Amino acid sequence: MKNKSDLPEDEWKKKLSPEQYRILREKGTELAFTGELLHNKKKGRYVCAACGNELFSSDTKFDSGSGWPSFYDAVSKDKIELKDDFSHGMHRIEAMCKKCKGHLGHVFNDGPKPTGKRYCINSLALGFKGKE
Ligand code: FE
């Protein structure tokens, strides 16, 4: 069986919605304040919408006012790959799913304690698994 986190681009295209594909595979950004999970306050886990990799816990979600779901920490460091991003004339840190390399969003240093980080993540790049 094929590793489902290492698909050719045409397979991702079939698996993801066009908007999810644009974000996850082409490093796009959803419009602020449109994400379904932006105001989700339920307890549970946030996973990569593409491959299901567990990325964030609801315990670290906070309202940043940015218009995108925001977290101050990842479930663990080995879930997310960080990369310098110099696009749009800025220097930002891109956050990708380590498993499938899908683009998630960016990480900024203006988050709350204890980490001071703000993982600014596209809602469409995430799935949510509520706690039963
Ligand atoms: Fe993934």
Side-chain angles (χ1 to χ4, degrees):
M1 236 181 73
K2 223 188 285 172
N3 181 351
K4 70 172 182 147
S5 58
D6 187 22
L7 298 176
E9 286 307 313
D10 59 328
E11 293 288 324
W12 283 125
K13 216 161 230 176
K14 276 184 234 164
K15 193 178 150 121
L16 301 167
S17 75
E19 184 65 354
Q20 282 180 316
Y21 183 86
R22 192 182 71 81
I23 294 165
L24 285 152
R25 306 307 305 175
E26 299 182 328
K27 305 190 189 299
T29 302
E30 72 195 10
L31 282 174
F33 299 103
T34 62
E36 213 173 291
L37 294 169
L38 176 60
H39 297 298
N40 183 31
K41 293 201 165 43
K42 290 180 190 142
K43 291 269 175 210
R45 296 281 166 142
Y46 291 84
V47 301
C48 172
C51 76
N53 193 18
E54 254 188 54
L55 301 172
F56 302 101
S57 159
S58 58
D59 296 340
T60 63
K61 193 172 190 283
F62 70 101
D63 184 4
S64 67
S66 68
W68 292 279
S70 301
F71 305 86
Y72 62 76
D73 207 359
V75 165
S76 78
K77 287 254 181 293
D78 60 359
K79 301 285 189 177
I80 291 182
E81 188 167 318
L82 301 176
K83 202 178 158 210
D84 284 308
D85 172 11
F86 293 99
S87 67
H88 304 288
M90 299 178 261
H91 176 213
R92 293 178 294 170
I93 307 293
E94 180 191 359
M96 283 180 293
C97 172
K98 198 153 200 167
K99 204 167 153 196
C100 74
K101 311 295 180 200
H103 172 80
L104 303 170
H106 292 87
V107 188
F108 301 92
N109 289 318
D110 57 9
K113 285 176 184 173
T115 63
K117 300 286 181 198
R118 170 169 60 96
Y119 290 77
C120 185
I121 306 297
N122 289 286
S123 177
L124 281 171
L126 296 172
F128 179 71
K129 286 185 178 172
K131 248 177 206 160
E132 299 82 71

